[in-house]
Amino acid sequence: MTNQAVTRATFDKVMVPNYNPQAMVPVRGEGTRVWDQQGNEYIDFAGGIAVSALGHSHPALVGALKDQADKIWHLSNVFTNEPALRLASQLTEATFADKVFFCNSGAEANEAAFKLVRKYAYDNVGPEKHEIISFNQSFHGRTLFTVSVGGQKKYREGFEPVPAGITHVPFNDLEALKAAISDKTCAVVMEPIQGEGGIIAADKDFARGVRELCDQHNALLVFDEIQTGVGRTGDLYAYMGLGVTPDILTSAKALGGGFPVGAMLCTDKVAQSFGFGTHGSTYGGNPMACAVASAAVSIINDPKLLDGVKEKRTLFVEALEAINAKHEIFKDIRGKGLLIGAELVESWHGKAAKFLAAAREEGLMMLVAGPNVLRFTPSLLVEADEIKEGMKRLEHAIAKTIEAGPEA
Ligand SMILES: *Cc1c(COP(=O)(O)O)cnc(C)c1O
């Protein structure tokens, strides 16, 4: 059974249809290259979904995993373990945070954060201070609480009743937040750059204003850095570039470089509301996951690597602008570091997925962010010649897609 031949068709037969994966099945990756079952080679500008920040099969991550695999795999939280303690020390030394809670995914990190903001307000003020404010088009994960805080209705529809006490306001609109926030607000939750929502950055003034309003109303500020964190924007975490410090920060995706791990970081004061027995996770802080994440953070939290992210962005943006000069397909090229969004012109709105399929046929893996935006989240180690070759493939894909027309 385990050696049975499997293909993309097997997916439709045995998998729940909540995904619709591309036609090929990748089997091997190295750096920014991936190969499928037939041996076709792809350049990977997706990196999972902003996950494989050091590319595929990075020797230091493979080494960390193998080393730990020979020592101990799992302990539960009845015992602590060295890799978790080391990773937590690295994260607290490198950020505003004093304390860390580990879990296995982004949604779980947010679930912990959203429970914590409620509990903190409950402990310090009372049950009436329970309202959470977040932003339209935001994305915070797929559990019931996280789709409820998330600002995209389509992810909630059909799953009601959802948790109550959550308000959504327009992003980058400080007046709207001012009107919604009150002393009943326990937290404001935001992504420094909305990822799934279309690569939309928070204005610096807006972020500063959000911080001030939170302070005025004794509400906590939660930054969801699951997509922006761990080097993606050219800072270890995007809040550093924004100059606004949250009370709680969630991290996942690139944190494990492809191994599942999530973390919620917070101040010591806030952490006290997660006293013994209040929250937990069987696998959270797993030694294998923390050993790999520890290696990833060590490599990424390096000024040279982070400066490299800014340089590689320039190459990406220049190449996209050159494509646009020829094909007039992008309305806007945006984002920060290697979190890059290219919004399609109006006549192609709703058709972003077409470019993804065409790119795959040209040997390029990439992403969309909603129906109107092409998204690129490559390895932070992507090389100049790989950017050049990938962009050549992208241009072919774009030319072919335009030739077929938006209704094809
Ligand atoms: C991906 C993502 C999540 C959810 O992470 P999972 O690991 O899929 O649960 C939450 N917030 C943001 C900003 C994300 O990009």
Side-chain angles (χ1 to χ4, degrees):
M1 202 64 181
T2 51
N3 287 321
Q4 195 181 320
V6 287
T7 66
R8 172 61 182 79
T10 317
F11 183 95
D12 294 333
K13 213 154 105 195
V14 299
M15 301 284 273
V16 168
N18 63 316
Y19 305 120
N20 180 24
Q22 291 288 319
M24 91 299 194
V25 179
V27 293
R28 191 168 70 82
E30 197 182 316
T32 300
R33 308 264 170 171
V34 167
W35 291 268
D36 70 13
Q37 287 179 315
Q38 282 70 41
N40 299 311
E41 179 237 60
Y42 300 84
I43 289 186
D44 185 3
F45 281 174
I49 299 179
V51 165
S52 310
L54 295 172
H56 298 275
S57 308
H58 190 286
L61 304 197
V62 174
L65 184 62
K66 286 184 173 167
D67 266 2
Q68 190 57 40
D70 283 334
K71 288 180 184 157
I72 197 158
W73 283 29
H74 181 75
L75 282 159
S76 87
N77 298 298
V78 177
F79 305 92
T80 189
N81 68 78
E82 290 182 350
L85 296 172
R86 287 198 191 102
L87 177 60
S89 303
Q90 279 172 290
L91 291 172
T92 53
E93 267 164 40
T95 67
F96 73 94
D98 309 305
K99 294 277 157 75
V100 180
F101 168 80
F102 287 123
C103 49
N104 315 287
S105 68
E108 281 177 74
N110 281 337
E111 184 81 18
F114 303 163
K115 281 180 72 181
L116 179 56
V117 296
R118 286 251 170 105
K119 183 67 163 42
Y120 178 80
Y122 178 93
D123 289 348
N124 291 284
V125 180
E128 71 284 358
K129 190 175 177 68
H130 65 257
E131 289 177 5
I132 295 174
I133 301 178
S134 71
F135 297 97
N136 294 347
Q137 292 307 121
S138 65
F139 181 81
H140 299 298
R142 297 296 203 113
T143 66
L144 198 56
F145 202 171
T146 56
V147 292
S148 307
V149 175
Q152 301 189 46
K153 217 170 155 200
K154 65 179 181 201
Y155 294 136
R156 285 196 294 279
E157 255 162 13
F159 297 109
E160 300 89 349
V162 296
I166 299 161
T167 307
H168 301 96
V169 299
F171 194 51
N172 278 330
D173 183 344
L174 202 58
E175 289 309 311
L177 179 62
K178 209 177 271 177
I181 200 167
S182 77
D183 290 343
K184 283 188 184 166
T185 307
C186 68
V188 176
V189 178
M190 67 182 259
E191 297 159 87
I193 300 172
Q194 290 191 335
E196 303 305 308
I199 318 294
I200 300 164
D203 300 332
K204 275 195 178 181
D205 287 345
F206 173 72
R208 253 181 245 129
V210 174
R211 177 74 268 183
E212 278 166 22
L213 284 173
C214 284
D215 293 342
Q216 280 166 25
H217 293 276
N218 189 24
L220 297 173
L221 177 57
V222 180
F223 272 7
D224 177 343
E225 290 232 31
I226 289 160
Q227 188 151 165
T228 54
V230 199
R232 178 61 47 195
T233 64
D235 289 298
L236 182 62
Y237 285 100
Y239 84 85
M240 297 166 174
L242 209 47
V244 172
T245 304
D247 303 291
I248 299 178
L249 180 153
T250 52
S251 189
K253 290 207 164 97
L255 182 60
F259 203 91
V261 61
M264 181 200 64
L265 283 60
C266 64
T267 61
D268 192 34
K269 188 166 174 237
V270 173
Q272 299 317 311
S273 285
F274 261 180
F276 178 65
T278 49
H279 190 60
S281 159
T282 294
Y283 269 124
N286 172 272
M288 308 262 277
C290 290
V292 177
S294 196
V297 171
S298 298
I299 296 169
I300 291 168
N301 193 21
D302 167 359
K304 239 171 60 209
L305 184 142
L306 295 171
D307 284 345
V309 170
K310 292 161 195 154
E311 287 159 24
K312 291 167 207 284
R313 176 188 177 79
T314 307
L315 298 179
F316 255 91
V317 170
E318 282 172 1
L320 288 170
E321 281 169 350
I323 289 174
N324 205 27
K326 235 164 136 180
H327 299 284
E328 296 179 348
I329 188 69
F330 303 132
K331 185 180 154 181
D332 188 24
I333 296 165
R334 58 189 184 236
K336 196 169 181 212
L338 288 172
L339 177 55
I340 299 161
E343 183 177 345
L344 298 166
V345 292
E346 306 282 346
S347 54
W348 283 89
H349 270 197
K351 310 287 182 188
K354 284 189 187 294
F355 292 88
L356 209 124
R360 186 246 309 149
E361 279 174 18
E362 295 297 321
L364 179 70
M365 293 158 76
M366 53 173 280
L367 298 168
V368 299
N372 308 331
V373 177
L374 307 188
R375 171 171 42 166
F376 307 91
T377 53
S379 162
L380 307 182
L381 302 176
V382 63
E383 309 254 359
D385 61 335
E386 294 167 331
I387 296 174
K388 204 168 155 195
E389 174 60 26
M391 284 297 168
K392 207 166 94 191
R393 295 180 190 187
L394 178 67
E395 192 187 342
H396 288 159
I398 285 175
K400 280 189 185 167
T401 308
I402 290 176
E403 202 182 291
E407 302 313 325

